[in-house]
Amino acid sequence: MITDVRMDDFPQIYSDLVHHFDRKPWMKTVENLQYQVKANSLMEDWILRVYKIAYGLVEFDKFGLGAAYGPKWESVKHAMGFAAQVLAILDVSTPDNARKAIARVDGALRKPDTMRGIEFEFSIATHLSRMGCTIEWKEEDKPGKNFDMLVNVPGMGLVDFECKTLASDTGEAIPEDIALEFINRLMPWALKALPDLPRHFYGISITMECAIPSGVDDQAQLALAVGEVLARTDHHLEGICRIDLQGGGLSTLPAGMEDQALRSLSNFLLGDHPSYQFITELPDGSHLAIRVGCVIPSTLNKQMKKKAKTAIRKQMTGERPGCLVMRVERHSAEDLTAEANADENDLFNLAKYLCEHPEHPHLAGVVFVSAPALTRLSSTTESGQSCTYAFDSLWGNYPNLGFKGLFADQ
């Protein structure tokens, strides 16, 4: 959904946000996260990414527009885009609606999954407001049906809107944070197994045949077992994983290689396939890449169907039209466009299944949304944009209401 932000407006945006959130809850969130970063430095990039809004607001609080010269500027821009959406919604909200919206954002700052959902809800609300809709936020802790927004859509009337987000690792047997925790525990064993070669690139690819446990003790035992295999000539742990070790000299390459060059070298040696990877520089100028993949098929489509059915049956009232909006973070705008242009695809099949299901007569529309990306509009203005793929139900009690048109301007 479109949200234009100008750098020159950042100070006023932040000041207005603090007016509504005078305790600056993002400061406490980032302070508490420092303990996690100290415990596992491999998690730092992941933590910065999933708590991007909190980190961006803290960075601007410290440096103002001077943050443009710092390493977290992308987070600042992302946070300011979100803040602008929050303020735009609050400006047109009744006092009661504003209170509900502020409470949602406050609580979400400490929980990345919740913040992902809140961020998406506000992007949808921003778009709907620009299309002339009025919005009433629902309180999710109240008994009864707890859909996200009751929206008065011109030409349609009142519609139950429920928004769902699916993280990029949804449906994967190994979530990203678990993979990074495991790599951290495996690192000491990996370092022991490396030969002593000057300025060398070491690549270790671990293809798991089972899920990685989340418990600390179980992970430590698995890391020990895999570490012992690294020192053997047979790099297969039956029923657990296969290991591929590759290497190459760096003597002809410049010192201080850029991240992209290191990733390209890792892909050249280990192959370019889906996995989680961490690359670190060793004291002698060598580099070590450890990546973790899994042969267990993704269950993304199954998870999407499960989330959708729960939203339609248990969160929408069924007393008026309902619209389900799902953001699939695995899909970029380009991916979603390609999917939409295919003759038949998984998203089309899912929307059709949901709309024609006899238990969903109230479902009037399904909208899929890609992961957002910042697009530069001018030297001082950027826009956070996503791509949409919308369906109007042809079945049930509310056919052809016009959700395709409602989401065409985005």
Side-chain angles (χ1 to χ4, degrees):
M1 302 298 113
I2 296 175
T3 305
D4 301 339
V5 288
R6 290 177 54 85
M7 286 176 52
D8 296 344
D9 295 333
F10 284 8
Q12 188 62 53
I13 290 173
Y14 188 72
S15 176
D16 291 345
L17 189 71
V18 172
H19 174 74
H20 293 288
F21 298 85
D22 57 344
R23 294 185 301 106
K24 298 182 183 179
W26 46 88
M27 305 295 286
K28 187 64 175 178
T29 294
V30 169
E31 179 185 339
N32 292 338
L33 287 170
Q34 300 315 302
Y35 299 105
Q36 284 184 249
V37 174
K38 287 181 180 178
N40 181 359
S41 60
L42 273 67
M43 298 287 288
E44 184 172 10
D45 286 345
W46 179 82
I47 289 173
L48 286 173
R49 185 161 17 98
V50 299
Y51 289 95
K52 183 181 288 187
I53 288 173
Y55 274 96
L57 293 174
V58 168
E59 190 78 354
F60 193 82
D61 186 271
K62 291 180 178 178
F63 303 108
L65 289 176
Y69 304 99
K72 296 187 179 71
W73 182 237
E74 290 301 316
S75 295
V76 171
K77 292 189 293 183
H78 187 86
M80 288 303 173
F82 174 70
Q85 288 180 333
V86 172
L87 293 171
I89 294 300
L90 294 180
D91 283 346
V92 297
S93 296
T94 64
D96 185 54
N97 263 337
R99 176 188 59 79
K100 295 174 186 176
I102 290 170
R104 284 194 179 199
V105 175
D106 194 318
L109 283 164
R110 295 177 292 277
K111 302 174 183 177
D113 286 342
T114 305
M115 176 52 76
R116 182 186 295 113
I118 291 295
E119 187 180 357
F120 181 49
E121 288 175 27
F122 273 92
S123 71
I124 294 300
T126 299
H127 174 72
L128 292 173
S129 293
R130 291 182 175 181
M131 297 298 289
C133 305
T134 56
I135 297 166
E136 177 186 341
W137 296 95
K138 309 305 289 184
E139 290 189 287
E140 295 185 330
D141 57 348
K142 295 291 184 181
K145 301 292 185 177
N146 56 351
F147 57 97
D148 293 320
M149 297 176 276
L150 180 61
V151 183
N152 193 339
V153 183
M156 289 189 200
L158 294 175
V159 179
D160 295 351
F161 266 81
E162 177 61 27
C163 303
K164 294 295 181 185
T165 60
L166 294 100
S168 58
D169 58 1
T170 297
E172 297 302 316
I174 303 176
E176 183 175 6
D177 57 329
I178 297 297
L180 292 172
E181 289 175 359
F182 176 67
I183 291 174
N184 185 54
R185 292 193 168 87
L186 181 63
M187 186 67 72
W189 302 104
L191 292 173
K192 288 181 180 180
L194 299 181
D196 187 13
L197 299 172
R199 289 218 65 214
H200 203 74
F201 186 93
Y202 305 96
I204 301 175
S205 178
I206 302 167
T207 303
M208 300 298 301
E209 298 172 1
C210 62
I212 295 174
S214 58
V216 173
D217 292 340
D218 290 338
Q219 266 194 32
Q221 291 179 12
L222 180 60
L224 172 60
V226 174
E228 291 175 344
V229 172
L230 288 172
R232 298 187 339 214
T233 55
D234 174 17
H235 294 142
H236 184 207
L237 193 58
E238 187 66 34
I240 303 295
C241 67
R242 300 190 305 274
I243 302 173
D244 181 25
L245 284 79
Q246 299 291 336
L250 296 175
S251 58
T252 60
L253 299 173
M257 295 175 63
E258 297 293 335
D259 290 346
Q260 184 57 51
L262 290 170
R263 287 194 294 270
S264 296
L265 181 55
S266 175
N267 290 338
F268 175 76
L269 293 171
L270 299 172
D272 188 1
H273 51 81
S275 60
Y276 303 113
Q277 177 170 263
F278 182 79
I279 301 178
T280 185
E281 184 174 4
L282 305 180
D284 63 352
S286 296
H287 286 81
L288 168 63
I290 300 181
R291 58 169 60 177
V292 174
C294 189
V295 298
I296 301 175
S298 170
T299 60
L300 174 62
N301 291 338
K302 181 179 179 180
Q303 294 297 322
M304 289 179 66
K305 182 180 288 188
K306 180 179 179 181
K307 277 182 173 284
K309 290 195 294 186
T310 298
I312 296 164
R313 298 175 187 179
K314 297 185 178 181
Q315 293 181 267
M316 296 177 185
T317 62
E319 299 170 357
R320 50 184 164 256
C323 182
L324 174 66
V325 191
M326 303 186 79
R327 184 170 77 183
V328 189
E329 294 190 353
R330 186 174 303 183
H331 289 315
S332 66
E334 293 78 10
D335 294 336
L336 193 65
T337 299
E339 185 101 356
N341 290 331
D343 291 337
E344 191 167 329
N345 55 70
D346 290 337
L347 298 181
F348 172 85
N349 290 334
L350 176 58
K352 184 174 182 294
Y353 166 83
L354 295 173
C355 289
E356 67 181 3
H357 198 287
E359 293 186 45
H360 307 160
H362 57 288
L363 181 63
V366 178
V367 183
F368 299 106
V369 183
S370 71
L374 281 177
T375 301
R376 181 167 292 282
L377 302 180
S378 71
S379 61
T380 59
T381 306
E382 290 187 292
S383 175
Q385 296 187 336
S386 296
C387 177
T388 60
Y389 185 20
F391 298 85
D392 286 298
S393 177
L394 305 179
W395 301 270
N397 299 334
Y398 309 101
N400 297 308
L401 282 192
F403 290 99
K404 278 189 178 182
L406 184 64
F407 285 91
D409 181 15
Q410 39 74 34

